[in-house]
Amino acid sequence: SAFHDGFMRVHNGDYPSSRPLVSLYDFGDDTNSIGDVYQTAVAAGADLVVGPLGRDAVASLMSQSTLNVPTLLLGSSNTEHTSNAFFVDLSRRSEALSLVTHARARGLENALVLYTLTKANKAAADTAVQAWQDQGGQITDTVIVDSTRSDFSEMILRMLGLSHIEAQTNALQNTLGDTLPLTVVPRIRRDLDVILLFADQKTARLLKPQIDFHHAGKLPIYSQNTVFTGTPDPVNDLDLEGVLFSDMPWVVRRTGRFERSGKMLTDAKRYQGFGIDRLYALGMDAYRLACEIQILPHDSIRQVSGASGTYFLQADGIEKQPDWVFFRQGIPEPLPPVILR
């Protein structure tokens, strides 16, 4: 419903002479019927299809049916290039790749990877590790974070190399005895430039202050938009101070074209503060992308600055660039753009 409402919001605001006739085909939860539904739509005269939405639904369509007309697919693009297929990749894998590209473009080379043991976070971490190495970076370590715990001191001391220093200090103190007390200034391992964190918001809020406490507060920490609900919460998000992540302009911009004014939000109010607000933004952009696909010259690139990101369209696919932000005083603030090398 959120996606459909976003799509129709832009459709209804378009010039009457430019609006396409839109028909909705709802296959419910029956992904096995998607191929038949698609062919029914094409047989009824559809000259462009938007959807389906979701990784499993996209995979089901690709395995069942030949795409007879240009089709905007909203899910994972882990398939070979197919004629008439235009993917908007919504996967955590795609977000992880974007994260790596952004961090490497800033010259960060030695990365420590932390992740909680969920299927999505492990897949994102694995993708990031491989991409980081492919782009010439070094992975110093990968660490599984136990999300059932609240005290990560032991893990942090170990991964930052501080436990080794503590052991050496204790051994030396035992040798010298109590007559000559030692004062040691802890220093984290030197082969660290950045931490890549793949975790839920609750775990990230617990982990970040403890990393700061253990003398690693100056290390940049990249994460995913799982650390932000879409609704500013400056009191609780103070614990995420400095964490960088990417998200949709519709969610993180507070000024300019996507400023969340009362007029802009009248028909989106019921989605505000929920994850599905991102689907509303995606629906708005899907309409714009669909219109561009229909008139896209074969050898050209079109740019669409949308609510869910900046899109670059060409005949062989779609590339999306999100907004990059960081928490400052508990509020996502724009990060200065990086000039990609």
Side-chain angles (χ1 to χ4, degrees):
S1 295
F3 178 85
H4 177 263
D5 288 353
F7 188 96
M8 295 308 296
R9 177 187 184 278
V10 183
H11 172 272
N12 294 337
D14 202 356
Y15 292 107
S17 60
S18 302
R19 294 178 197 160
L21 178 65
V22 177
S23 298
L24 176 64
Y25 291 80
D26 187 356
F27 57 84
D29 294 328
D30 184 12
T31 57
N32 291 326
S33 68
I34 290 178
D36 292 336
V37 172
Y38 180 89
Q39 294 301 334
T40 298
V42 173
D47 49 23
L48 184 139
V49 174
V50 175
L53 172 64
R55 179 189 61 193
D56 294 339
V58 169
S60 180
L61 175 61
M62 296 298 291
S63 66
Q64 291 182 34
S65 185
T66 300
L67 304 184
N68 306 105
V69 298
T71 305
L72 184 64
L73 298 153
L74 305 144
S76 176
S77 63
N78 291 337
T79 60
E80 295 181 1
H81 176 68
T82 304
S83 178
N84 284 325
F86 294 86
F87 287 96
V88 175
D89 196 335
L90 306 178
S91 67
R92 290 295 173 193
R93 174 183 176 275
S94 174
E95 192 178 353
L97 290 173
S98 177
L99 179 158
V100 168
T101 300
H102 191 276
R104 289 290 292 129
R106 296 177 65 199
L108 302 172
E109 184 173 352
N110 301 303
L112 171 65
V113 179
L114 309 179
Y115 65 95
T116 56
L117 203 52
T118 66
K119 183 178 180 181
N121 285 334
K122 185 179 186 307
D126 289 344
T127 297
V129 168
Q130 186 62 56
W132 193 269
Q133 293 171 333
D134 289 345
Q135 295 187 29
Q138 302 294 320
I139 299 296
T140 60
D141 201 359
T142 58
V143 179
I144 299 174
V145 179
D146 184 354
S147 59
T148 64
R149 304 186 62 175
S150 58
D151 185 355
F152 301 107
S153 296
E154 183 180 348
M155 180 196 77
I156 293 172
L157 288 171
R158 185 176 65 253
M159 73 186 193
L160 295 178
L162 296 173
S163 56
H164 179 63
I165 294 175
E166 184 179 21
Q168 287 181 325
T169 302
N170 291 337
L172 183 57
Q173 185 67 75
N174 290 335
T175 301
L176 296 174
D178 296 334
T179 58
L180 186 59
L182 290 175
T183 300
V184 177
V185 178
R187 185 171 60 185
I188 66 171
R189 56 195 291 182
R190 296 181 179 181
D191 61 342
L192 279 182
D193 298 323
V194 62
I195 294 175
L196 310 183
L197 173 63
F198 303 93
D200 58 89
Q201 184 187 62
K202 179 182 177 181
T203 302
R205 282 174 173 170
L206 289 169
L207 187 58
K208 177 58 167 63
Q210 295 181 51
I211 290 174
D212 293 349
F213 177 79
H214 289 292
H215 315 286
K218 292 184 179 180
L219 278 180
I221 297 180
Y222 275 81
S223 192
Q224 299 190 291
N225 66 21
T226 51
V227 299
F228 184 56
T229 63
T231 301
D233 186 1
V235 174
N236 290 312
D237 286 341
L238 279 174
D239 289 334
L240 295 170
E241 193 71 3
V243 172
L244 302 97
F245 67 99
S246 64
D247 212 327
M248 297 181 174
W250 177 253
V251 175
V252 296
R253 291 189 192 180
R254 300 195 305 279
T255 59
R257 179 181 173 191
F258 297 108
E259 182 179 3
R260 314 299 289 280
S261 64
K263 181 179 179 181
M264 176 76 92
L265 294 173
T266 300
D267 56 348
K269 188 174 182 180
R270 61 178 168 153
Y271 303 123
Q272 267 195 289
F274 300 95
I276 55 174
D277 195 31
R278 294 183 173 100
L279 291 174
Y280 185 87
L282 183 64
M284 290 193 289
D285 287 351
Y287 180 83
R288 298 187 182 100
L289 291 171
C291 292
E292 290 291 340
I293 286 171
Q294 289 182 305
I295 59 173
L296 182 67
H298 180 70
D299 294 326
S300 70
I301 298 177
R302 292 288 185 102
Q303 178 177 328
V304 176
S305 298
S308 61
T310 300
Y311 294 87
F312 298 90
L313 284 75
Q314 47 193 335
D316 61 350
I318 299 175
E319 177 188 346
K320 184 178 80 168
Q321 293 183 358
D323 274 13
W324 280 96
V325 295
F326 68 104
F327 282 105
R328 184 166 65 181
Q329 297 182 350
I331 299 292
E333 294 285 348
L335 192 69
V338 174
I339 305 301
L340 298 180
R341 296 180 299 184

